[in-house]
Amino acid sequence: SVVYFALDEASGNRAALIGGLTLTDNNTVGSTTGILSNAANFVAANSESLSHANDAAFSIGDGDFTLRVWVNLSAIQTNNDFGIITMDNYPTAGREWHLLFVVPATVRFNMQNSGGADIVAVSQTMGASAWHHVVVTRSGADISVYVDAGTPATGTIAGTPNTGAATFRVGTLGTGTSYYMNGAVDEIAIVKGLAWDAAQVAYDYNAGAGRRYPD
């Protein structure tokens, strides 16, 4: 299955191009120039985010998958980490996975088990104040995190991923007030049942110009 959000809307809720789902606008998420057309623009001080109640399309579970997102961080907060795309109700119960930015220059992907404990954590270097192409894949038990189609950072899942527990959010980790992001997110793809290889990641990156899935 595929769910794809182009995030081209100037304001309000954001509808999927593929997958039939709509993200709810929380606290008036803005818009800015994206990697392709417009992008959603978030201000941490306003607690802005997009969200959708738990849905099987976002619960990547125990099979192969690919997550792809473009992100441009306009400022770095003083907190240690903040959400980019997440399925995580932190700090309350209900955790599945999250893609975070960790101060000062790291993007990190984690998955959790039903007890809320991490079963994999993979970190990759990523700077701020520029558009970056981030892809996370799972093939078997192996997780790879690519930034701008470079050599991936890798890790191995040790445990059973949690599913059906969390809200999908863009621009924040859970409901904690310190975990909102400043910056823009564009072109979110969640592909279940398929792990892109390095050639597919490079094709999608398109030398920094991007492509709209599944072009």
Side-chain angles (χ1 to χ4, degrees):
S1 67
V2 177
V3 61
Y4 190 96
F5 295 96
L7 303 178
D8 286 342
E9 294 90 340
S11 63
N13 297 342
R14 271 66 167 181
L17 285 184
I18 303 171
L21 302 175
T22 298
L23 300 176
T24 298
D25 177 8
N26 304 299
N27 296 323
T28 315
V29 175
S31 180
T32 190
T33 301
I35 198 70
L36 296 173
S37 189
N38 294 333
N41 193 53
F42 301 88
V43 177
N46 297 339
S47 299
E48 296 173 5
S49 69
L50 300 169
S51 65
H52 193 286
N54 192 282
D55 189 280
F58 305 117
S59 289
I60 50 181
D62 208 22
D64 290 356
F65 64 79
T66 299
L67 306 177
R68 185 263 267 142
V69 62
W70 286 86
V71 59
N72 187 340
L73 304 176
S74 57
I76 302 299
Q77 297 93 299
T78 57
N79 52 286
N80 289 330
D81 45 35
F82 50 89
I84 299 170
I85 55 173
T86 69
M87 281 285 284
D88 195 330
N89 292 341
Y90 185 85
T92 59
R95 312 191 69 192
E96 299 191 37
W97 58 267
H98 55 240
L99 183 69
L100 307 178
F101 186 82
V102 181
V103 174
T106 299
V107 64
R108 188 182 76 216
F109 177 77
N110 298 70
M111 297 181 76
Q112 289 81 34
N113 62 20
S114 59
D118 288 340
I119 57 173
V120 69
V122 181
S123 297
Q124 178 70 286
T125 300
M126 188 185 84
S129 300
W131 279 108
H132 293 287
H133 177 260
V134 181
V135 176
V136 181
T137 68
R138 174 179 178 167
S139 178
D142 297 326
I143 296 291
S144 298
V145 178
Y146 298 81
V147 172
D148 299 336
T151 301
T154 60
T156 302
I157 297 170
T160 302
N162 194 22
T163 60
T167 296
F168 177 72
R169 295 179 173 91
V170 184
T172 186
L173 170 65
T175 58
T177 56
S178 298
Y179 300 103
Y180 291 89
M181 69 173 282
N182 285 315
V185 174
D186 202 9
E187 307 297 322
I188 300 169
I190 301 174
V191 183
K192 296 175 65 174
L194 176 66
W196 290 358
D197 60 19
Q200 289 171 299
V201 173
Y203 177 82
D204 187 72
Y205 179 58
N206 194 23
R211 297 183 193 274
R212 183 151 286 176
Y213 184 87
D215 290 349

